[in-house]
Amino acid sequence: MDLSIRFRREMDKGLCRDTNPTAAVKMLPTFVRSTPDGTEQGEFLALDLGGSNFRVLLVKVMADGKQAVEMEDQIYAIPEHLMRGCGSELFDHIADCLANFLEKLGIKDKKLPLGFTFSFPCQQTKLDEAVLVYWTKAFKSNGVEGKDVVSLLRKSIKKRGDFDVDILAVINDTVGTMMTCGYDDHHCEIGLIVGTGTNACYMEQMRNLELLDGDEGRMCVNTEWGAFGDDGALEDLRTDIDREIDAGSLNPGKQLFEKMISGLYMGELVRLILVKMTKEQLLFQGKTTAELLTTGSFNTSYIYAIENDKDEEGLASAEKVLRGLGLDPLVEDCISTQRVCQIVSTRAAHLCAATLVAVLRQIRDNKAAEKLRTTIGVDGSVYKSHPEFSRRLHKMVRRLVPDCDVRFLQSQCGSGKGAAMVTAVAYRLAAQHAERQRILDTLRLSREQLLEVKRRMSEEMVRGLSKQAHEQASVKMLPTYVRATPDGTEHGDFLALDLGGSSFRVLLVRVRSGKRHNVDMHHKIYTIPQETMQGTGEEVKHHWVHVFYKPLLSFVQGILLRWTKGFKASGCEGQDVITLLKDAVRRRKEFDLSFVAVVNDTVGTMMTCSYEDPKFSLVEMQNIELVEGDDGCMCVNMEWGAFGDNGELDDFCTQFDRIVDDCSNNPGKQRYEKMISGMYLGEIVRNVLMDFTAKGLLFRGKLSERLKTRCIFETKFLSQIESDRLAMRQIRSILQHLGLTSSTCDDSVLVKEVCSLVSRRAAQLCGAGLAAVVDKIRQNRNLNQLSITVGVDGTLYKTHPHFSSIMQETLQDLAPQCQVTFHKSEDGSGKGAALITAVACRIKSDGQH
Ligand code: 0WK
Ligand code: BGC
């Protein structure tokens, strides 16, 4: 257990940015982030170098939904002189073997995607690039360490010039093994090799990989645990025999843990122990032989035979092996030799178990799982061929972590299939990414497009203000008859009703005049039941006070042009809302009101904010052709939500905008609003997610019933999902709330990307619209530079983590001659409505009109 804890510390050192450079266990990122999801298909080449055999494979992944895989492979020798000779000749040889293989299969003319299993420690910055840190096992070719092995291979293939391949991935054999086994068991998230060398990889949380940016999702980490102890961490466990092995190896001081375990060294360990015991007269009557004293003369495969669990056979093998080494063993010598083998291989199995348990604990802690259920994909000649190794390993692992449900899955077809799977996944991800980005690009607006939106908005504003074009204009630029702002002398108690936002409020506003002029407010929020919003005007009247209008004659009349947002109550459009309310009040015979003003919430917000900051502006009367008179200014309610209703935005509308509009209460209306406002952003996101899922680009193509429900993806989810503080787990809980219980980290990453694109576009469109407004005001005043304040309110602006900053950035970029300050309204437009009423009462009482 102590060793396991010690190794866990080494893992942390390797994962940590500051300690990684000096860490022995390098915890190398592999850039393998996804496992096969069943949609992969096609033909893939794979190379498998680093184990006892070099193999070239062609892997056909069928698109039959059962993901059947057909494999053809060929083993090629790697001559020792190339393993220890010139590196470029080694890669030339690999290219020759590949050419031979393609020739044999008659597919030399095809440029197939290739995955390269290169089983040595490599620093990777991306999936198709790997710089060899140092050779291990029996390799020591020169001119390769510190180089990108993919470039070396591409160079050798290019040198031949008679075929070409598309190298998409280079992986470690542990990764290939995990992927191979992951194909049959989706719980597989650890790859283990105990063969010529030993190593393990596992799926780690990105947030723990300090060497890489991003903390979302998972990535496979190649631990390179063979180097455990290279910094002296195992000196208390290593024996003189281990030190002798290391001293005689190709890479003294390196891979010390591997040298206590793996097949390249196990036989030699036994030999050196036998030699030591013989010299101490404990074996073979103290007589050694030249063979016994020869390095490497005791092959690891001997151990497999000697430990054959049918004891008799094992001892017979021991005798046969010892005789083969020129010894004349007694039965006791055979038994002792078998015992030595058992001790060496058992130590190897238990050392492996200790480090494996550290990896299991890391995964369990990452998942904060009570009980971890996982699968370990395993390969390697020691694990496969040693009669007892696997059983001893499993037993010790289960003893050290009894609370984990660990399954071992032996790879049947090597890591070549895994390499093909990684390539297939890379291929699929590249194709899916391209397809997703193609769709998401429709939601990305360039600066030129935003400038065009601004230009068209300016055009519509002019048309809205002009008598000729007003009727046709989509942006109605409605006069509000609010022409004055508070001058501080207003005072009295005023009632205000605030309808049309996310909540309906009734307010009592007490305005005090004079230098300390200020406002006290009491308010109560009431809900407007959905059925009332969409019921008869009668019911609404009972519930509300004001909406927006087209005042024909005066301040206290508002003809409802049409409902927007969630309202669709009948019998109101074309009606004067004040009259409707008066009727409702009259019918109650309980109280009476003197109606003074009906204003739009934008006007209320402007007035509320201007009470604290007078740097607000109204539109010059000479520009408002709908209203007689050119003196002074008046506030204009743009109703810019309708921008685009005449097709001005069609070339910016996506398929998702059209779906949202078609399914809305008012198809064809409020097009600009439907691309921006909180009522619709969630719906746009939901439709993008639905489309992606239907195309198999998300949630493994599995749609949940809940996600099919209109408006189920609330806009507040966007604000939550995009908040930097929210971890993936929390995004996943939102997805679980939407019935997407098996969403992956990658799904969450993508959902976040869709949310941020939709909200970003909304903020940019809003910024472009506002740029048109402030630049118009600047031009109205023939100013080169304008500084102005915008009063702003609204849940989206106030709660979304990035909306306001993106909108302001866009505005600044598109209207550089305007310095715009945003004044967030804290009191809502109800206060503004009361102030407008107060001003109207003051003007009336002063006898002005
Ligand atoms: C078979 C895998 C290969 C890996 C080898 C390790 O296909 O990638 O390197 O197992 O076992 P070894 O051949 O070293 O015993
Ligand atoms: C290498 C690893 C490899 C392992 C098993 C070690 O010597 O450093 O990269 O995974 O052998 O083949």
Side-chain angles (χ1 to χ4, degrees):
M1 186 61 88
D2 161 57
L3 183 65
S4 187
I5 295 162
R6 208 184 296 185
F7 183 67
R8 186 81 186 273
R9 273 201 299 273
E10 293 297 316
M11 288 172 69
D12 293 343
K13 271 200 239 164
L15 288 171
C16 168
R17 180 186 294 278
D18 305 342
T19 49
N20 174 277
T22 54
V25 179
K26 287 294 182 199
M27 306 299 280
L28 300 167
T30 67
F31 294 84
V32 170
R33 304 194 57 183
S34 310
T35 45
D37 74 349
T39 62
E40 294 75 17
Q41 55 163 315
E43 288 190 327
F44 304 92
L45 287 168
L47 301 176
D48 185 354
L49 178 75
S52 31
N53 302 308
F54 168 50
R55 287 200 300 169
V56 181
L57 306 94
L58 176 68
V59 180
K60 290 193 186 128
V61 182
M62 312 307 170
D64 59 0
K66 291 197 287 315
Q67 290 250 289
V69 167
E70 279 174 22
M71 287 177 33
E72 291 173 70
D73 69 345
Q74 172 82 36
I75 290 179
Y76 292 86
I78 301 282
E80 189 146 316
H81 74 271
L82 289 180
M83 289 164 86
R84 313 278 170 81
C86 165
S88 60
E89 286 176 20
L90 170 66
F91 282 89
D92 290 353
H93 175 70
I94 294 169
D96 296 347
C97 298
L98 184 50
N100 173 277
F101 182 77
L102 296 172
E103 189 95 38
K104 273 214 182 95
L105 297 187
I107 53 174
K108 232 177 169 178
D109 57 338
K110 284 189 182 173
K111 182 176 181 182
L112 290 174
L114 180 140
F116 186 9
T117 303
F118 185 77
S119 308
F120 302 92
C122 289
Q123 202 81 44
Q124 291 192 258
T125 52
K126 53 187 173 149
L127 193 57
D128 63 346
E129 187 185 274
V131 173
L132 175 63
V133 181
Y134 53 77
W135 285 115
T136 66
K137 292 172 279 190
F139 280 74
K140 199 123 195 75
S141 309
N142 53 48
V144 184
E145 289 176 346
K147 299 271 176 50
D148 168 25
V149 294
V150 172
S151 318
L152 291 174
L153 180 57
R154 284 194 179 119
K155 204 157 142 230
S156 294
I157 291 172
K158 201 151 190 281
K159 208 192 291 179
R160 284 190 57 100
D162 59 345
F163 72 92
D164 197 3
V165 292
D166 189 3
I167 304 173
L168 287 184
V170 56
I171 60 167
N172 185 263
D173 54 356
T174 53
V175 180
T177 299
M178 182 191 77
M179 290 300 267
T180 296
C181 297
Y183 203 56
D184 306 322
D185 176 342
H186 289 318
H187 286 96
C188 185
E189 54 195 334
I190 298 175
L192 168 67
I193 295 282
V194 191
T196 316
T198 182
N199 189 16
C201 71
Y202 69 102
M203 294 304 284
E204 175 60 88
Q205 300 293 345
M206 283 296 289
R207 66 172 181 270
N208 297 334
L209 276 170
E210 291 183 10
L211 294 169
L212 298 180
D213 299 332
D215 58 7
E216 288 147 15
R218 299 195 303 167
M219 181 184 283
C220 180
V221 165
N222 167 14
T223 65
E224 283 298 335
W225 73 16
F228 180 26
D230 287 10
D231 57 356
L234 292 176
E235 284 319 299
D236 58 335
L237 294 178
R238 293 183 61 228
T239 64
D240 294 346
I241 301 287
D242 296 312
R243 294 188 182 86
E244 198 173 337
I245 285 259
D246 177 47
S249 72
L250 271 180
N251 51 354
K254 289 204 172 315
Q255 301 294 98
L256 297 182
F257 184 66
E258 174 166 86
K259 287 167 181 167
M260 298 167 81
I261 292 174
S262 76
L264 186 61
Y265 309 98
M266 201 185 276
E268 187 61 5
L269 275 168
V270 170
R271 184 187 73 82
L272 290 173
I273 295 167
L274 296 181
V275 169
K276 184 175 172 63
M277 290 170 75
T278 308
K279 287 183 178 164
E280 292 169 9
Q281 308 302 321
L282 300 169
L283 276 178
F284 316 124
Q285 290 104 7
K287 289 197 201 68
T288 59
T289 63
E291 295 87 335
L292 182 62
L293 295 174
T294 306
T295 304
S297 63
F298 197 101
N299 199 308
T300 299
S301 59
Y302 297 170
I303 298 172
Y304 308 157
I306 291 169
E307 285 201 62
N308 177 337
D309 43 17
K310 292 192 238 27
D311 275 354
E312 299 322 304
E313 279 177 38
L315 289 174
S317 300
E319 184 184 357
K320 187 162 158 265
V321 165
L322 295 171
R323 291 199 184 288
L325 294 169
L327 297 156
D328 178 17
L330 305 171
V331 175
E332 295 71 31
D333 293 330
C334 295
I335 293 170
S336 302
T337 301
Q338 188 181 56
R339 190 79 197 101
V340 170
C341 291
Q342 284 163 354
I343 290 168
V344 168
S345 63
T346 302
R347 181 184 75 158
H350 291 177
L351 287 171
C352 235
T355 46
L356 203 48
V357 161
V359 173
L360 288 164
R361 286 214 175 90
Q362 176 80 1
I363 295 176
R364 186 192 56 200
D365 295 354
N366 284 348
K367 294 183 176 179
E370 265 314 294
K371 186 168 176 53
L372 176 68
R373 154 78 186 90
T374 194
T375 298
I376 302 172
V378 195
D379 206 335
S381 48
V382 173
Y383 183 89
K384 283 180 162 175
S385 314
H386 188 291
E388 293 297 328
F389 188 95
S390 55
R391 188 184 57 71
R392 289 176 189 146
L393 173 68
H394 302 173
K395 190 165 165 229
M396 182 51 79
V397 166
R398 294 192 176 122
R399 220 172 91 198
L400 293 173
V401 278
D403 54 348
C404 290
D405 172 0
V406 182
R407 305 193 191 166
F408 289 82
L409 180 57
Q410 186 170 315
S411 164
Q412 296 314 326
C413 38
S415 59
K417 176 180 172 183
M421 281 306 121
V422 169
T423 312
V425 171
Y427 208 64
R428 165 177 61 81
L429 292 178
Q432 286 182 336
H433 179 73
E435 174 58 5
R436 278 195 293 261
Q437 294 315 315
R438 185 190 63 71
I439 296 168
L440 292 178
D441 278 349
T442 61
L443 287 163
R444 292 190 175 97
L445 297 174
S446 66
R447 186 168 187 282
E448 289 61 43
Q449 288 175 308
L450 289 167
L451 275 171
E452 182 56 18
V453 170
K454 178 191 172 194
R455 189 190 66 72
R456 293 179 191 178
M457 177 68 90
S458 314
E459 216 172 70
E460 276 312 298
M461 289 170 67
V462 173
R463 281 159 44 81
L465 287 168
S466 81
K467 203 168 245 158
Q468 277 76 32
H470 174 78
E471 265 328 300
Q472 291 71 43
S474 59
V475 179
K476 289 296 180 200
M477 307 300 281
L478 302 167
T480 65
Y481 293 84
V482 173
R483 305 187 59 179
T485 50
D487 65 2
T489 61
E490 295 77 16
H491 61 277
D493 291 355
F494 302 93
L495 279 173
L497 305 177
D498 183 351
L499 176 79
S502 40
S503 57
F504 169 46
R505 286 203 298 170
V506 179
L507 306 92
L508 173 65
V509 181
R510 181 158 294 145
V511 182
R512 285 197 185 72
S513 60
K515 286 233 171 328
R516 286 180 308 95
H517 67 270
N518 65 21
V519 167
D520 279 348
M521 291 196 325
H522 307 278
H523 77 270
K524 189 158 187 301
I525 291 181
Y526 296 86
T527 54
I528 302 268
Q530 182 84 5
E531 62 278 11
T532 305
M533 289 165 75
Q534 316 228 339
T536 66
E538 287 306 311
E539 290 140 352
V540 174
K541 279 172 276 173
H542 272 299
H543 264 282
W544 60 267
V545 174
H546 73 266
V547 291
F548 72 76
Y549 60 93
K550 180 172 180 183
L552 291 178
L553 307 167
S554 77
F555 208 21
V556 283
Q557 182 196 44
I559 308 297
L560 172 61
L561 281 181
R562 67 172 169 279
W563 286 119
T564 66
K565 292 172 278 189
F567 283 78
K568 201 140 197 55
S570 59
C572 299
E573 290 179 341
Q575 303 297 317
D576 167 26
V577 290
I578 295 297
T579 310
L580 295 172
L581 186 56
K582 276 184 185 159
D583 298 348
V585 170
R586 205 171 298 117
R587 266 197 303 284
R588 290 186 72 88
K589 296 189 186 60
E590 281 179 60
F591 58 88
D592 195 5
L593 297 169
S594 89
F595 295 92
V596 173
V598 53
V599 298
N600 184 265
D601 54 358
T602 55
V603 182
T605 298
M606 183 188 79
M607 203 50 85
T608 299
C609 297
S610 72
Y611 201 60
E612 281 100 36
D613 168 344
K615 246 205 4 256
F616 273 78
S617 72
L618 305 176
V619 176
E620 290 70 11
M621 283 301 290
Q622 78 261 16
N623 294 332
I624 308 175
E625 295 172 12
L626 293 167
V627 180
E628 301 313 314
D630 283 352
D631 304 340
C633 293
M634 176 187 286
C635 175
V636 165
N637 164 19
M638 295 178 62
E639 283 302 332
W640 72 1
F643 175 46
D645 290 9
N646 295 342
E648 302 91 339
L649 292 172
D650 284 2
D651 46 352
F652 301 124
C653 266
T654 67
Q655 63 192 89
F656 311 112
D657 297 310
R658 278 183 277 279
I659 295 167
V660 168
D661 179 50
D662 294 348
C663 306
S664 70
N665 277 342
N666 50 356
K669 300 291 179 212
Q670 302 295 98
R671 301 303 297 274
Y672 185 59
E673 176 169 83
K674 286 170 183 164
M675 296 166 84
I676 292 179
S677 78
M679 173 132 189
Y680 303 100
L681 293 190
E683 251 319 80
I684 297 172
V685 169
R686 185 181 72 88
N687 278 287
V688 176
L689 301 183
M690 294 254 284
D691 179 66
F692 276 9
T693 311
K695 288 189 171 90
L697 303 174
L698 189 61
F699 309 131
R700 293 174 187 245
K702 297 198 187 63
L703 206 52
S704 72
E705 282 314 309
R706 279 176 69 72
L707 192 61
K708 293 179 192 161
T709 318
R710 271 197 67 232
C711 302
I712 190 83
F713 197 105
E714 298 168 49
T715 297
K716 73 173 183 206
F717 290 161
L718 275 83
S719 300
Q720 292 164 358
I721 286 171
E722 288 181 64
S723 86
D724 304 334
R725 280 179 282 83
L726 206 71
M728 279 297 115
R729 248 197 313 275
Q730 285 140 320
I731 295 180
R732 202 170 298 155
S733 62
I734 291 174
L735 295 178
Q736 259 135 23
H737 162 71
L738 294 167
L740 299 153
T741 46
S742 61
S743 69
T744 65
C745 301
D746 297 342
D747 291 330
S748 304
V749 172
L750 186 59
V751 168
K752 186 167 183 174
E753 182 183 5
V754 173
C755 290
S756 59
L757 268 177
V758 169
S759 62
R760 180 175 186 78
R761 183 188 70 157
Q764 289 176 318
L765 283 169
C766 208
L770 213 46
V773 175
V774 294
D775 246 355
K776 174 140 187 36
I777 295 172
R778 182 182 61 77
Q779 287 145 8
N780 283 355
R781 299 179 189 167
N782 299 325
L783 296 173
N784 187 28
Q785 290 293 328
L786 171 77
S787 92
I788 190 164
T789 300
V790 173
V792 58
D793 203 342
T795 320
L796 185 61
Y797 182 91
K798 284 181 167 175
T799 58
H800 190 280
H802 310 298
F803 189 97
S804 55
S805 55
I806 294 170
M807 187 191 81
Q808 292 174 24
E809 275 159 31
T810 308
L811 171 60
Q812 192 52 50
D813 177 28
L814 302 185
Q817 295 162 274
C818 304
Q819 272 60 54
V820 182
T821 313
F822 284 83
H823 186 119
K824 219 191 282 187
S825 163
E826 299 311 337
D827 302 316
S829 59
K831 173 180 172 183
L835 288 166
I836 289 165
T837 311
V839 171
C841 296
R842 165 176 59 76
I843 292 169
K844 205 167 171 197
S845 63
D846 299 353
Q848 300 168 17
H849 278 296

